[in-house]
């Protein structure tokens, strides 16, 4: 068994990023092991905070996130590097994973606040900035990469005003921002109009459905999740809060779960930040929680390995 020390620090506060061409960290390390002739055995990642908040995409902050959105790459939480970390952290019993803190929603509402005429709020409540290829016109990330792009200039100005936006882009696709979850949870969290992909609000939504014995109904569609499934989700988050280091996102009290929201006044009836101060508070709390969770995961991992050594 070969222990590989983490020497590439990406996305860590106050640490300059080291990037190794087009090689991912894991592929580089595996090639290095082979080149120096170490006996072939199981390669085990050494868990560190740098690895837990290492962005699992290559390129640079906002650019790389938008490149990811325009690519055919699958969900980052299912990439090979993430899977190796899950195995080492013993999170690999789950078949389903989710990005805890979404970049897109908070970014969209920040763009609306700065450029309300260009990016109005649609009837459905979402800001009219498009990420995917559902329409015939270019998505926002595609416009961003065009020559002399107004979209790029606007994002650049936005990031000067909201200085934490780039860091959220950097930490969005990191292991410390991924979690195992029940089947179907990921889609519901992203599609519900009163949740808007905010994890603490999804926790509140689950508790609301359990309290009222209701199915979970998607917005603008006939699809729904039955109450028995919701109860299983409820049990999942009670039973696994400690295992997956999620205590900064919700509380568990007497078989009830309660989300710890990202800005003052955030709720199922007011899910998105509509004031500049709310965007700033939301970004800060997201980043603080990602870093706090990275520390908690690392401490738990080190304690388990100390007791097993």
């Amino acid at each position: 068994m070969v222990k590989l020390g983490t020497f590439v620090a990406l996305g860590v506060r106050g640490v300059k990023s080291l990037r190794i061409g087009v090689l991912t960290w894991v592929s580089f390390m595996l090639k290095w092991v082979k080149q120096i002739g170490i006996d072939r055995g199981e390669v085990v990642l050494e868990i560190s905070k740098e690895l837990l908040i290492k962005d699992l995409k290559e390129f640079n902050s906002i650019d790389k996130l938008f490149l990811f959105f325009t690519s055919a790459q699958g969900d980052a939480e299912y990439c090979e590097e993430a899977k190796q970390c899950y195995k080492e952290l013993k999170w690999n019993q789950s078949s389903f994973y989710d990005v805890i803190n979404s970049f897109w929603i908070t970014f969209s509402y920040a763009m609306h606040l700065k450029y309300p005429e260009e990016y109005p709020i649609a009837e459905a409540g979402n800001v009219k900035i498009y990420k995917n290829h559902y329409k015939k016109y270019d998505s926002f990330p595609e416009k961003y990469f065009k020559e002399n792009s107004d979209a790029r200039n606007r994002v650049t100005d936005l990031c000067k005003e909201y200085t934490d936006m780039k860091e959220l882009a950097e930490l969005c696709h990191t292991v410390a921002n991924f979690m195992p979850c029940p089947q179907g949870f990921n889609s519901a969290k992203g599609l519900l109009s009163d949740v808007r992909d905010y994890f603490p609000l999804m926790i509140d939504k689950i508790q609301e459905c359990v309290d009222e014995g209701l199915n979970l109904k998607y917005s603008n569609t006939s699809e729904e999740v039955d109450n028995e499934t919701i109860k299983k989700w409820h049990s999942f988050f009670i039973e696994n809060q400690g295992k997956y280091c999620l205590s900064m996102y919700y509380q568990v009290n007497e078989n009830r779960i309660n989300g710890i929201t990202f800005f003052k006044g955030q709720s199922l009836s007011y899910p998105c930040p509509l004031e500049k101060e709310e965007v700033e508070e939301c970004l800060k709390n997201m980043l603080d929680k990602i870093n706090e969770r990275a520390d908690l995961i690392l401490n738990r991992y080190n304690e388990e390995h100390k007791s097993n050594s």
Side-chain angles (χ1 to χ4, degrees), residues 30-200:
L30 293 177
K31 288 184 180 181
W32 174 78
V33 168
K34 185 176 180 181
Q35 284 171 0
I36 64 174
I38 293 177
D39 183 43
R40 290 185 180 181
E42 183 183 358
V43 177
V44 180
L45 297 180
E46 182 176 320
I47 298 296
S48 68
K49 183 172 180 181
E50 287 78 6
L51 179 59
L52 292 171
I53 58 175
K54 171 185 179 290
D55 192 343
L56 297 182
K57 299 184 304 304
E58 300 157 0
F59 312 115
N60 120 39
S61 199
I62 299 289
D63 281 8
K64 67 183 173 185
L65 193 66
F66 286 178
L67 279 169
F68 176 79
F69 288 149
T70 59
S71 74
Q73 185 176 341
D75 292 338
E77 62 269 33
Y78 290 97
C79 76
E80 286 305 313
E81 282 188 86
K83 288 177 182 177
Q84 292 193 45
C85 287
Y86 300 154
K87 181 179 179 181
E88 184 67 10
L89 293 168
K90 299 178 182 177
W91 291 2
N92 58 331
Q93 299 93 335
S94 177
S95 299
F96 304 98
Y97 298 87
D98 188 29
V99 175
I100 298 176
N101 297 291
S102 165
F103 174 85
W104 194 259
I105 297 297
T106 305
F107 164 76
S108 297
Y109 275 82
M111 288 289 282
H112 164 71
L113 282 169
K114 189 165 180 64
Y115 310 105
E117 293 184 4
E118 291 85 351
Y119 308 109
I121 297 177
E123 287 183 13
N126 59 303
V127 177
K128 285 191 173 181
I129 297 181
Y130 298 98
K131 179 176 64 176
N132 296 317
H133 304 274
Y134 300 132
K135 309 292 183 181
K136 293 181 180 179
Y137 44 78
D138 289 338
S139 67
F140 182 87
E142 288 169 326
K143 293 177 182 176
Y144 177 87
F145 289 112
K146 289 184 180 293
E147 191 174 354
N148 301 319
S149 167
D150 288 338
R152 176 181 284 275
N153 293 334
R154 287 168 182 160
V155 172
T156 299
D157 289 342
L158 180 84
C159 290
K160 291 176 182 176
E161 187 168 336
Y162 298 99
T163 54
D164 282 338
M165 194 68 74
K166 282 187 176 181
E167 188 166 3
L168 181 59
E170 189 76 29
L171 297 187
C172 182
H173 289 161
T174 61
V175 172
N177 197 35
F178 297 160
M179 68 174 182
C181 67
Q183 184 177 4
F185 173 87
N186 187 328
S187 297
K189 174 170 160 279
L191 293 173
L192 291 169
S193 61
D194 52 356
V195 171
R196 292 288 181 211
D197 220 3
Y198 288 110
F199 181 38

Side-chain angles (χ1 to χ4, degrees), residues 124 193 218-222:
S193 61
Y218 291 115
S219 308
N220 303 318
T221 176
S222 59

Side-chain angles (χ1 to χ4, degrees), residues 179-286:
M179 68 174 182
C181 67
Q183 184 177 4
F185 173 87
N186 187 328
S187 297
K189 174 170 160 279
L191 293 173
L192 291 169
S193 61
D194 52 356
V195 171
R196 292 288 181 211
D197 220 3
Y198 288 110
F199 181 38
L201 295 185
M202 188 61 189
I203 289 291
D204 289 344
K205 188 69 175 181
I206 291 170
Q207 186 62 58
E208 179 183 85
C209 289
V210 170
D211 287 344
E212 299 180 10
L214 299 174
N215 294 346
L216 193 158
K217 297 183 179 180
Y218 291 115
S219 308
N220 303 318
T221 176
S222 59
E223 289 186 66
E224 59 182 33
V225 181
D226 65 83
N227 192 253
E228 286 304 310
T229 299
I230 298 299
K231 288 178 180 176
K232 291 177 183 177
W233 293 2
H234 186 265
S235 297
F236 176 94
F237 286 109
I238 290 176
E239 294 166 5
N240 292 296
Q241 185 199 40
K243 180 178 180 179
Y244 298 137
C245 302
L246 298 170
S247 58
M248 65 290 302
Y249 291 106
Y250 63 94
Q251 299 169 327
V252 178
N253 293 305
E254 297 182 353
N255 209 41
R256 296 182 62 81
I257 50 179
N258 179 46
I260 302 171
T261 52
F262 293 123
F263 60 88
K264 186 177 179 180
Q266 188 181 30
S267 68
L268 291 170
S269 60
Y270 191 95
C272 298
L274 299 177
E275 303 291 342
K276 184 176 187 292
E277 295 75 15
E278 292 172 348
V279 172
E280 291 171 337
E281 186 181 359
C282 188
L283 289 169
K284 180 182 183 302
N285 281 324
M286 283 180 168

